[in-house]
PDB file of all heavy atoms in Angstrom:
ATOM      1  N   PHE A 808      77.567 136.505 105.641  1.00 97.00           N
ATOM      2  CA  PHE A 808      76.727 136.273 104.467  1.00 97.00           C
ATOM      3  C   PHE A 808      77.395 135.225 103.533  1.00 97.00           C
ATOM      4  O   PHE A 808      76.797 134.263 103.056  1.00 97.00           O
ATOM      5  CB  PHE A 808      76.519 137.647 103.680  1.00 97.00           C
ATOM      6  CG  PHE A 808      76.081 137.459 102.260  1.00 97.00           C
ATOM      7  CD1 PHE A 808      74.839 136.848 101.929  1.00 97.00           C
ATOM      8  CD2 PHE A 808      76.847 137.855 101.234  1.00 97.00           C
ATOM      9  CE1 PHE A 808      74.390 136.740 100.679  1.00 97.00           C
ATOM     10  CE2 PHE A 808      76.423 137.693  99.912  1.00 97.00           C
ATOM     11  CZ  PHE A 808      75.234 137.100  99.603  1.00 97.00           C
ATOM     12  N   CYS A 809      78.730 135.341 103.276  1.00 97.00           N
ATOM     13  CA  CYS A 809      79.455 134.385 102.497  1.00 97.00           C
ATOM     14  C   CYS A 809      79.502 133.044 103.158  1.00 97.00           C
ATOM     15  O   CYS A 809      79.327 132.004 102.467  1.00 97.00           O
ATOM     16  CB  CYS A 809      80.841 134.909 102.257  1.00 97.00           C
ATOM     17  SG  CYS A 809      81.015 136.361 101.220  1.00 97.00           S
ATOM     18  N   GLN A 810      79.627 132.946 104.490  1.00 97.00           N
ATOM     19  CA  GLN A 810      79.611 131.741 105.161  1.00 97.00           C
ATOM     20  C   GLN A 810      78.250 131.009 104.981  1.00 97.00           C
ATOM     21  O   GLN A 810      78.252 129.780 104.750  1.00 97.00           O
ATOM     22  CB  GLN A 810      79.806 131.945 106.650  1.00 97.00           C
ATOM     23  CG  GLN A 810      79.936 130.610 107.416  1.00 97.00           C
ATOM     24  CD  GLN A 810      79.770 130.881 108.938  1.00 97.00           C
ATOM     25  OE1 GLN A 810      79.078 131.824 109.379  1.00 97.00           O
ATOM     26  NE2 GLN A 810      80.493 130.100 109.712  1.00 97.00           N
ATOM     27  N   SER A 811      77.165 131.732 104.950  1.00 97.00           N
ATOM     28  CA  SER A 811      75.851 131.180 104.809  1.00 97.00           C
ATOM     29  C   SER A 811      75.730 130.508 103.384  1.00 97.00           C
ATOM     30  O   SER A 811      75.085 129.447 103.280  1.00 97.00           O
ATOM     31  CB  SER A 811      74.759 132.169 104.944  1.00 97.00           C
ATOM     32  OG  SER A 811      74.692 133.135 103.909  1.00 97.00           O
ATOM     33  N   LEU A 812      76.373 131.063 102.391  1.00 97.00           N
ATOM     34  CA  LEU A 812      76.319 130.467 101.078  1.00 97.00           C
ATOM     35  C   LEU A 812      77.282 129.252 101.102  1.00 97.00           C
ATOM     36  O   LEU A 812      76.923 128.261 100.380  1.00 97.00           O
ATOM     37  CB  LEU A 812      76.791 131.426 100.043  1.00 97.00           C
ATOM     38  CG  LEU A 812      75.940 132.641  99.868  1.00 97.00           C
ATOM     39  CD1 LEU A 812      76.464 133.541  98.710  1.00 97.00           C
ATOM     40  CD2 LEU A 812      74.397 132.283  99.526  1.00 97.00           C
ATOM     41  N   LEU A 813      78.409 129.316 101.711  1.00 97.00           N
ATOM     42  CA  LEU A 813      79.346 128.191 101.673  1.00 97.00           C
ATOM     43  C   LEU A 813      78.842 126.916 102.338  1.00 97.00           C
ATOM     44  O   LEU A 813      79.129 125.797 101.960  1.00 97.00           O
ATOM     45  CB  LEU A 813      80.636 128.574 102.430  1.00 97.00           C
ATOM     46  CG  LEU A 813      81.525 129.613 101.760  1.00 97.00           C
ATOM     47  CD1 LEU A 813      82.662 130.019 102.559  1.00 97.00           C
ATOM     48  CD2 LEU A 813      82.081 129.064 100.418  1.00 97.00           C
ATOM     49  N   ILE A 814      77.981 127.129 103.375  1.00 96.00           N
ATOM     50  CA  ILE A 814      77.532 125.927 104.188  1.00 96.00           C
ATOM     51  C   ILE A 814      76.077 125.546 103.880  1.00 96.00           C
ATOM     52  O   ILE A 814      75.476 124.715 104.488  1.00 96.00           O
ATOM     53  CB  ILE A 814      77.738 126.066 105.675  1.00 96.00           C
ATOM     54  CG1 ILE A 814      76.851 127.226 106.227  1.00 96.00           C
ATOM     55  CG2 ILE A 814      79.238 126.379 105.923  1.00 96.00           C
ATOM     56  CD1 ILE A 814      77.003 127.406 107.756  1.00 96.00           C
ATOM     57  N   GLY A 815      75.476 126.193 102.858  1.00 95.00           N
ATOM     58  CA  GLY A 815      74.139 125.983 102.558  1.00 95.00           C
ATOM     59  C   GLY A 815      73.941 124.708 101.673  1.00 95.00           C
ATOM     60  O   GLY A 815      74.904 124.226 101.121  1.00 95.00           O
ATOM     61  N   ASN A 816      72.686 124.228 101.570  1.00 94.00           N
ATOM     62  CA  ASN A 816      72.462 122.937 100.883  1.00 94.00           C
ATOM     63  C   ASN A 816      72.855 123.110  99.390  1.00 94.00           C
ATOM     64  O   ASN A 816      73.320 122.112  98.805  1.00 94.00           O
ATOM     65  CB  ASN A 816      70.960 122.689 100.950  1.00 94.00           C
ATOM     66  CG  ASN A 816      70.626 121.939 102.258  1.00 94.00           C
ATOM     67  OD1 ASN A 816      71.540 121.316 102.897  1.00 94.00           O
ATOM     68  ND2 ASN A 816      69.407 121.954 102.664  1.00 94.00           N
ATOM     69  N   GLU A 817      72.642 124.226  98.801  1.00 96.00           N
ATOM     70  CA  GLU A 817      72.971 124.291  97.338  1.00 96.00           C
ATOM     71  C   GLU A 817      74.387 124.117  97.079  1.00 96.00           C
ATOM     72  O   GLU A 817      74.751 123.510  96.014  1.00 96.00           O
ATOM     73  CB  GLU A 817      72.521 125.731  96.811  1.00 96.00           C
ATOM     74  CG  GLU A 817      72.682 125.816  95.339  1.00 96.00           C
ATOM     75  CD  GLU A 817      71.996 127.124  94.710  1.00 96.00           C
ATOM     76  OE1 GLU A 817      71.352 127.810  95.503  1.00 96.00           O
ATOM     77  OE2 GLU A 817      72.212 127.373  93.456  1.00 96.00           O
ATOM     78  N   PHE A 818      75.228 124.744  97.898  1.00 97.00           N
ATOM     79  CA  PHE A 818      76.709 124.417  97.702  1.00 97.00           C
ATOM     80  C   PHE A 818      77.072 123.016  98.023  1.00 97.00           C
ATOM     81  O   PHE A 818      77.989 122.587  97.396  1.00 97.00           O
ATOM     82  CB  PHE A 818      77.400 125.414  98.651  1.00 97.00           C
ATOM     83  CG  PHE A 818      78.924 125.407  98.458  1.00 97.00           C
ATOM     84  CD1 PHE A 818      79.547 126.139  97.390  1.00 97.00           C
ATOM     85  CD2 PHE A 818      79.804 124.631  99.248  1.00 97.00           C
ATOM     86  CE1 PHE A 818      80.932 126.138  97.268  1.00 97.00           C
ATOM     87  CE2 PHE A 818      81.158 124.643  99.111  1.00 97.00           C
ATOM     88  CZ  PHE A 818      81.742 125.431  98.099  1.00 97.00           C
ATOM     89  N   MET A 819      76.463 122.418  98.980  1.00 96.00           N
ATOM     90  CA  MET A 819      76.813 121.060  99.437  1.00 96.00           C
ATOM     91  C   MET A 819      76.332 119.947  98.509  1.00 96.00           C
ATOM     92  O   MET A 819      76.693 118.780  98.781  1.00 96.00           O
ATOM     93  CB  MET A 819      76.224 120.861 100.854  1.00 96.00           C
ATOM     94  CG  MET A 819      76.839 121.781 101.918  1.00 96.00           C
ATOM     95  SD  MET A 819      78.537 121.325 102.284  1.00 96.00           S
ATOM     96  CE  MET A 819      79.097 122.767 103.134  1.00 96.00           C
TER      97      MET A 819
END
Side-chain angles (χ1 to χ4, degrees):
F808 163 64
C809 293
Q810 182 193 33
S811 71
L812 297 182
L813 290 173
I814 66 177
N816 277 339
E817 185 172 351
F818 186 82
M819 294 290 164

